[in-house]
Amino acid sequence: MSERLQPGDVAPDFTLPDADGNEVSLSAHKGRKVIVYFYPAALTPGCTKQACDFTDNLSLLADAGYDVLGISPDAPEKLGKFREKENLEVTLLADPDKKVLDAYGAFGEKMNYGKTYMGVIRSTIIVDEQGKVEKALYNVRATGHVAKIIKDLGI
């Protein structure tokens, strides 16, 4: 498990495939603010709620200068099914080897029903126009998280 990012840190650059297999890099968004959120698994209730909330608020966020990238360890094919089933407009990226999840401190030890295991830590990192971490939010809740981000960013 890697260190969690802090405001002011340089956000680790990455290039990952999207739901269609096209490569998307964080550096391609330089000059725009980017909300990078990490979620455990496509097609699960909490992750669906979160992705739908981001999709519902995508134009509001875009108008405020933010791009949104969702990252999970799912394969691109599963992300495509997730996008189609839920009519998602947010860009979903596949990180099956968990290198980006690890670089962002979004993969590590979790506890559920008294058992400890390794998994995705639901996290949101807000990256500024220069590629630096503006906010790093870890162990966030799926429900109500997007509304809280919008409020905290003053959008």
Side-chain angles (χ1 to χ4, degrees):
M1 184 170 109
S2 63
E3 294 286 313
R4 291 184 170 185
L5 297 177
Q6 302 294 324
D9 289 350
V10 173
D13 193 20
F14 57 79
T15 300
L16 293 171
D18 67 9
D20 299 313
N22 300 314
E23 295 204 332
V24 175
S25 298
L26 179 63
S27 56
H29 293 265
K30 204 113 176 174
R32 300 250 321 151
K33 293 186 177 198
V34 185
I35 296 170
V36 182
Y37 80 96
F38 297 92
Y39 63 99
L43 300 166
T44 59
C47 298
T48 297
K49 173 81 179 114
Q50 190 176 20
C52 288
D53 282 353
F54 272 117
T55 292
D56 292 346
N57 290 285
L58 210 51
S59 60
L60 177 72
L61 291 165
D63 290 348
Y66 291 89
D67 295 333
V68 179
L69 303 174
I71 300 176
S72 75
D74 297 305
E77 301 77 35
K78 187 173 179 188
L79 297 179
K81 288 180 185 142
F82 187 33
R83 182 185 60 198
E84 301 311 312
K85 182 175 188 274
E86 303 298 338
N87 295 313
L88 300 174
E89 293 173 25
V90 65
T91 301
L92 301 174
L93 303 177
D95 184 21
D97 61 11
K98 303 174 187 75
K99 284 193 172 103
V100 177
L101 283 152
D102 197 46
Y104 277 76
F107 187 82
E109 207 169 85
K110 295 173 67 166
M111 186 172 272
N112 196 14
Y113 300 112
K115 294 212 185 300
T116 303
Y117 64 98
M118 296 298 283
V120 176
I121 298 163
R122 192 181 302 275
S123 312
T124 301
I125 309 299
I126 299 170
V127 181
D128 71 14
E129 299 91 338
Q130 284 75 48
K132 289 200 186 284
V133 175
E134 192 175 294
K135 290 182 186 289
L137 310 163
Y138 291 94
N139 294 309
V140 301
R141 300 186 84 70
T143 304
H145 180 60
V146 176
K148 182 178 177 352
I149 289 172
I150 290 168
K151 183 174 178 256
D152 289 352
L153 294 175
I155 299 172

